Amino acid sequence: LAKTTQPISMDSYEGQEVNITCSHNNIATNDYITWYQQFPSQGPRFIIQGYKTKVTNEVASLFIPADRKSSTLSLPRVSLSDTAVYYCLVGDEGDSSYKLIFGSGTRLLVRP
Amino acid sequence: GAVVSQHPSRVICKSGTSVKIECRSLDFQATTMFWYRQFPKKSLMLMATSNEGSKATYEQGVEKDKFLINHASLTLSTLTVTSAHPEDSSFYICSARGGRAADTQYFGPGTRLTVL
């Protein structure tokens, strides 16, 4: 299982763009990259998933370089409600029994 | 996205009693469900993986006789914490995938268990 490395914490201000980078040097050919958001006392919420290049949805963008050894979650114009823990995970989403192994995540604090 | 529910959202019990937590996929058929536990300020730890109609696969260090998992249908998995003790107090979270939600795992809202 690929191991991921993320910054433990990040600080930002309302209205700024936040980029959280995740390293996954041992990512396998079949692995996808998935990001989750978790608020205190809630289950993780799916944010975005990608395999290569760039993926964008209504809440975030995911940038994946050609070697796929890292990925960057981009949150445009964050608000106070984006304060949460963000987890980057990699794995073979084509395998129905694939196990998600959570790392420590990145604790994002958005200040007014 | 797909919706996963858990019941109850929180439970307080006395030491020595057993507690059952339900996990349901509401709008898709979950061929695989996962159970996690999370301690305060810590990350999620996978406890077990369950496939519908078969025995659960437990992670190393998780006692299968203490944490009984049943995945009897494509929409329901249950976790029973038997003879609960204060050290079992934690936040238990399930996730599910399968059917139209086969591309990733979707998580339930979690269950806060407090054992007195």
Side-chain angles (χ1 to χ4, degrees):
Chain A
L1 296 171
K3 179 181 176 182
T4 60
T5 303
Q6 305 173 231
I8 295 295
S9 63
M10 293 182 70
D11 279 19
S12 183
Y13 291 92
E14 277 191 298
Q16 288 188 334
E17 177 184 81
V18 171
N19 296 307
I20 306 174
T21 297
C22 177
S23 297
H24 27 80
N25 292 317
N26 298 322
I27 189 168
T29 303
N30 292 335
D31 287 347
Y32 279 72
I33 300 154
T34 309
W35 285 81
Y36 289 88
Q37 175 193 55
Q38 188 182 28
F39 298 110
S41 297
Q42 293 187 26
R45 182 177 76 102
F46 172 83
I47 302 175
I48 198 166
Q49 183 182 80
Y51 184 81
K52 61 180 180 180
T53 62
K54 176 184 175 183
V55 180
T56 298
N57 62 23
E58 63 276 9
V59 298
S61 293
L62 178 60
F63 298 92
I64 305 168
D67 65 6
R68 304 201 324 124
K69 292 184 183 298
S70 67
S71 59
T72 299
L73 174 72
S74 181
L75 304 173
R77 295 181 297 280
V78 293
S79 63
L80 296 178
S81 62
D82 292 316
T83 293
V85 179
Y86 293 82
Y87 293 99
C88 160
L89 297 105
V90 297
D92 184 356
E93 296 293 350
D95 178 358
S96 62
S97 294
Y98 165 68
K99 302 185 292 186
L100 285 177
I101 305 299
F102 281 77
S104 58
T106 297
R107 196 170 294 272
L108 173 65
L109 173 62
V110 180
R111 301 177 187 273
Chain B
V3 181
V4 177
S5 70
Q6 282 184 240
H7 178 80
S9 58
R10 59 176 59 229
V11 56
I12 301 173
C13 69
K14 292 182 179 180
S15 185
T17 60
S18 294
V19 175
K20 180 185 285 188
I21 302 170
E22 293 184 348
C23 176
R24 294 183 185 274
S25 57
L26 298 186
D27 55 357
F28 67 100
Q29 293 186 324
T31 50
T32 308
M33 287 183 166
F34 305 83
W35 286 95
Y36 298 79
R37 65 188 300 183
Q38 185 176 31
F39 293 105
K41 304 288 187 183
K42 299 294 184 182
S43 186
L44 285 78
M45 287 173 32
L46 180 65
M47 300 174 67
T49 302
S50 76
N51 292 294
E52 186 265 338
S54 61
K55 290 184 178 180
T57 302
Y58 291 81
E59 294 300 300
Q60 190 172 11
V62 178
E63 300 175 59
K64 61 181 180 181
D65 294 330
K66 179 162 186 65
F67 299 100
L68 301 179
I69 291 172
N70 185 288
H71 190 165
S73 77
L74 285 171
T75 59
L76 174 64
S77 176
T78 60
L79 167 68
T80 301
V81 183
T82 62
S83 186
H85 289 93
E87 57 267 29
D88 298 323
S89 297
S90 188
F91 192 53
Y92 291 87
I93 309 170
C94 72
S95 70
R97 62 181 297 164
R100 71 173 191 85
D103 57 341
T104 193
Q105 289 184 33
Y106 293 88
F107 287 80
T111 297
R112 174 76 58 194
L113 170 64
T114 302
V115 185
L116 301 177

